[in-house]
Amino acid sequence: MAIRPLVILPDSVLRQVSKPVEAVTPEIKALAADMLETMYDAPGIGLAAIQIGVPLRLLTIDLAKPEEEKAPMTFINPEITWSSKELNIHEEGCLSIPEYYEEVERPARVKVRYLDLDGKVQDIEADGLLATCLQHEIDHLNGVLFIDHLSRLKRERVTKRFAKAARRDSAA
Ligand code: K2U
Ligand code: ZN
């Protein structure tokens, strides 16, 4: 296992649409293990493969609190098959947009079909933080960031901030 470098805004890699996983191979299982190790190290509660530069439809989530036993989840080729009309507002952050948090409105409940690490088709219904996190991570697989759900003013302000920081880092 390895902690992998995170892709940070404004890197255009984050805007790629990730491709489906063809088969759950040992390499895919090793990638999921690296994603979990990277996510725990950040720390974060979710991670999409594109955030470590791998354009595959694979994501990991663990909602366990630091003092609780780890509860890792891996979703391969996840698809939202149903969303509730009822909406929910939750503060979101993103490991690819560090130190920036904003409230985002999303469907309160979703049903997701995915492959587990054994290649078995699974269906879950999620609410609360799991619903928010699944939608946030599946957005990543489609090149969408949580700032895309904010006002144009807020999105342009944070994009300018990170573009300026990237220019400063490359000049250093
Ligand atoms: O995609 C990511 O960068 C993972 C996010 C997951 C997340 C999605 C929605 C709402 C909150 C978090 C990171 O874990 S950001 C770090 C974090 C952790 C807990 C709560 C808020 C932010
Ligand atoms: Zn994110």
Side-chain angles (χ1 to χ4, degrees), residues 43-48 51 90-96 101 129 132-133 136-137 140:
I45 59 173
L47 192 71
Q51 293 181 272
H90 197 287
E91 183 181 68
E92 299 193 16
C94 184
L95 297 178
S96 296
Y101 303 94
L129 182 55
T132 295
C133 201
H136 178 113
E137 302 309 335
H140 272 301

Side-chain angles (χ1 to χ4, degrees), residues 16-106:
Q16 284 185 37
V17 176
S18 296
K19 292 182 174 48
V21 170
E22 299 297 329
V24 184
T25 60
E27 292 74 20
I28 292 295
K29 294 181 180 179
L31 173 59
D34 283 359
M35 288 171 63
L36 284 166
E37 189 177 4
T38 303
M39 185 182 81
Y40 292 132
D41 177 71
I45 59 173
L47 192 71
I50 196 66
Q51 293 181 272
I52 57 170
V54 178
L56 286 176
R57 301 187 81 81
L58 173 63
L59 61 94
T60 56
I61 291 175
D62 190 332
L63 302 184
K65 292 181 176 53
E67 65 276 10
E68 294 173 341
E69 193 174 336
K70 285 188 172 64
M73 296 178 274
T74 301
F75 298 83
I76 301 168
N77 299 336
E79 293 170 72
I80 296 176
T81 55
W82 172 84
S83 303
S84 64
K85 288 188 175 57
E86 177 202 356
L87 301 176
N88 182 25
I89 293 175
H90 197 287
E91 183 181 68
E92 299 193 16
C94 184
L95 297 178
S96 296
I97 311 174
E99 312 299 320
Y100 183 76
Y101 303 94
E102 280 289 351
E103 289 192 333
V104 177
E105 188 175 58
R106 296 183 189 268

